[in-house]
Amino acid sequence: MQAKLNGQRSATLQGRYSAQHNAFGVLRLAMACGVIIAHAGPLGFAQSNVGAASFGRQSDLGTMCLYGFFLISGFLITDSALRSTLRQYVRARALRVFPGLWACLLVTAFVFAPLAALYENGSLDGFWTHPDGPFDYVTTNFLASMEQFPISGLLAETPYGSIVGGPSAFDGSLWTLRYDLAFYGIVGILVVTSVLHRAPRAVLVLTATCYALVLRDFFTAPTWSSRPPQHGAIGPFPLLGAFAADWTLMLGFLFLLGAAARLYAHRIPVTRNLAVLAGVALVGSLWLGGFFAVGLPAFAYLVLFAAVALPKRLSSISRRHDYTYGIYIYGFPVQQMIALLGGTRFGMLGYIVLSLLGALLFAVLSWHLVERPALGFKTGSGRARHRRAGRATSPRPALIPSPVTVAGAEARTGSGRHKAGARHSRSTSSAPATASTPRRLKRPTETAATFLKVPARTKQDLPFDPAKTPTSHTRSGRSHRAPTISTTPPR
């Protein structure tokens, strides 16, 4: 009977998931590399995103990686929020996103952009005083609103510049950060209101509502292979700006689906047969149509299945050194610089290899010099951490021995009915008190790095010209989907 119960438990997501042994790290790393591979087409050769033609124009490799990022983020962020106070949660999220972002903005504005200016113009004349100069780039995007993408009118002659028809983005991947922060804020509200602990069905209702809206767009679309309509913009909101309604719905659905999977992990069966059915549904929907109605949930199930079914030795990848965030935020500017300097002469494969190696180089530097030191402050100041470490490693002083009776010991502990107490009850001699047992240390709060993602949209979908940049956070109420990747090569 016990074996049967154990088998039922292991067949669920909760039974097979382990916080220490899972493949979420390697999956996120693969998705970050997939974004770079997908961008090789438009950034290097002014072509459509890799995988767009194979997926029936419903999606592409970069967008699929984006969906996977938000699904995993919803699962891991919810798992972290369940074990954190609001203060711990906010601190962990801010330390994971902003230090790496700020360093990337500085490197882009004061390393990549000056090099591009020297290469294109031969000097830095007018570079610093340009209306969309490097200082404006840093201050405007400081809180991840990403209102400005070009710098000083550069990168107009790159392959991506030919797509957008003018100065192009230095780091288009950062547009998704505002969506990450918005969803983190929603989870924070659920923590404050105790919904995660006391009313998890509310998350299930929100997920079902988003899926119902996705189905509505699917059934009202002209064809089964049509992308969801845009529905305009939501906002603008203070600090974060406006959100594209279609991306908010799609990414929000994936994020909530991951959160619901964490809350109801004990109810979700995870078997190989279901994974095979999900794979068939995903491939069939990408080939025949219906991806947003059938393929998207199937894709989510496959990602969760892979996270718990892949070999445990893969769980060590990205656990100690997590380069995923760095690869994602530095991949776009590295690819732009390689294209500007003529790295595309090595062909598609050579360009992809150079892009991956360059992004990895900056990701390693970002992790060891910025991200990991910043994460050391998750639990408070360095002095407080040293005090806690000292209490954890040094034994507590022993109490002064004093004669106690067995009855007195039982009355003090309230648990003298164990076997040792029964043996001692036969003796009337007094015994000295021993040193008290040190307290069990609390498990440190685990965090999940969100990362990030880049979708591919056609140039016709852009609500405004990516080369034209608003001058403040609140001056533009349009949906900020720029600089998205065009899936149509220029004619």
Side-chain angles (χ1 to χ4, degrees):
M1 183 65 178
Q2 186 63 31
K4 183 178 180 180
L5 292 176
N6 291 336
Q8 293 176 350
R9 189 182 302 113
S10 63
T12 63
L13 181 59
Q14 177 177 318
R16 302 189 63 171
Y17 173 73
S18 170
Q20 290 76 29
H21 302 287
N22 62 75
F24 280 128
V26 68
L27 289 175
R28 290 188 299 109
L29 186 63
M31 290 172 184
C33 295
V35 168
I36 294 178
I37 296 173
H39 284 171
L43 296 184
F45 302 92
Q47 301 174 0
S48 59
N49 269 22
V50 174
S54 302
F55 297 160
R57 299 293 174 180
Q58 301 175 94
S59 186
D60 57 75
L61 179 61
T63 307
M64 296 294 288
C65 293
L66 172 66
Y67 292 152
F69 271 129
F70 274 87
L71 174 74
I72 295 175
S73 180
F75 186 96
L76 295 179
I77 294 301
T78 303
D79 183 66
S80 175
L82 289 172
R83 296 177 285 104
S84 308
T85 64
L86 178 63
R87 183 177 180 180
Q88 292 171 336
Y89 173 79
V90 172
R91 178 185 295 165
R93 301 280 65 78
L95 290 175
R96 191 64 189 96
V97 173
F98 286 110
L101 168 65
W102 293 335
C104 182
L105 292 177
L106 292 174
V107 170
T108 302
F110 300 110
V111 177
F112 291 143
L115 291 176
L118 290 173
Y119 184 84
E120 291 185 4
N121 306 322
S123 68
L124 295 178
D125 295 340
F127 172 76
W128 306 106
T129 58
H130 193 278
D132 292 330
F135 295 100
D136 294 318
Y137 179 81
V138 174
T139 56
T140 301
N141 301 326
F142 189 73
L143 295 179
S145 63
M146 296 312 299
E147 297 277 355
Q148 177 182 338
F149 287 97
I151 300 177
S152 300
L154 300 171
L155 302 182
E157 303 301 325
T158 59
Y160 187 48
S162 66
I163 293 178
V164 300
S168 57
F170 267 85
D171 200 343
S173 299
L174 299 183
W175 74 270
T176 58
L177 288 183
R178 70 171 65 204
Y179 294 86
D180 281 296
L181 295 175
F183 297 151
Y184 294 167
I186 292 175
V187 174
I189 294 174
L190 297 179
V191 172
V192 172
T193 56
S194 300
V195 170
L196 288 183
H197 296 86
R198 299 182 180 181
R201 290 184 180 179
V203 177
L204 202 61
V205 171
L206 288 175
T207 307
T209 302
C210 288
Y211 186 52
L213 295 176
V214 172
L215 291 178
R216 181 202 63 182
D217 290 340
F218 171 75
F219 287 114
T220 57
T223 65
W224 283 17
S225 300
S226 299
R227 288 176 177 263
Q230 295 183 15
H231 295 303
I234 303 174
F237 298 95
L239 302 180
L240 291 179
F243 296 79
D246 55 332
W247 282 116
T248 302
L249 174 60
M250 201 62 58
L251 300 181
F253 169 61
L254 269 299
F255 188 91
L256 289 173
L257 196 59
R262 171 58 186 88
L263 294 173
Y264 288 89
H266 59 290
R267 299 287 184 87
I268 301 177
V270 178
T271 63
R272 186 172 300 178
N273 292 336
L274 289 177
V276 171
L277 291 177
V280 172
L282 175 60
V283 174
S285 65
L286 290 173
W287 185 29
L288 302 175
F291 168 74
F292 296 101
V294 178
L296 204 57
F299 171 74
Y301 184 87
L302 287 175
V303 171
L304 296 175
F305 175 81
V308 298
L310 289 176
K312 291 185 177 180
R313 61 179 177 270
L314 297 178
S315 62
S316 60
I317 299 178
S318 295
R319 177 183 296 177
R320 185 176 180 183
H321 304 300
D322 188 0
Y323 302 137
T324 303
Y325 187 35
I327 290 176
Y328 178 79
I329 61 178
Y330 284 99
F332 201 106
V334 166
Q335 287 184 283
Q336 284 280 62
M337 294 301 296
I338 292 176
L340 177 66
L341 299 176
T344 56
R345 64 179 179 271
F346 299 107
M348 177 69 77
L349 181 59
Y351 177 71
I352 290 175
V353 172
L354 289 175
S355 300
L356 291 173
L357 292 178
L360 178 61
L361 173 62
F362 283 95
V364 170
L365 295 176
S366 175
W367 171 256
H368 291 282
L369 298 180
V370 180
E371 297 172 50
R372 186 169 68 173
L375 290 176
F377 292 92
K378 285 190 304 182
T379 56
S381 65
R383 183 176 300 178
R385 292 197 307 276
H386 287 305
R387 286 199 300 266
R388 285 191 291 269
R391 288 197 299 265
T393 56
S394 59
R396 298 180 63 182
L399 300 176
I400 300 176
S402 59
V404 293
T405 61
V406 174
E410 293 181 357
R412 230 174 274 137
T413 61
S415 58
R417 296 184 180 89
H418 48 72
K419 295 181 179 179
R423 289 195 301 268
H424 287 298
S425 64
R426 300 191 186 100
S427 174
T428 58
S429 60
S430 61
T434 60
S436 60
T437 305
R439 298 177 181 176
R440 177 179 297 177
L441 298 177
K442 294 183 179 180
R443 178 183 298 178
T445 303
E446 298 178 2
T447 58
T450 71
F451 301 109
L452 309 170
K453 330 77 190 154
V454 176
R457 301 299 297 263
T458 61
K459 184 179 178 182
Q460 295 90 316
D461 292 338
L462 298 178
F464 59 91
D465 189 347
K468 298 179 181 179
T469 304
T471 56
S472 70
H473 293 294
T474 58
R475 49 195 156 187
S476 174
R478 297 165 294 183
S479 62
H480 296 280
R481 63 179 77 247
T484 48
I485 304 302
S486 173
T487 58
T488 305
R491 296 179 180 178

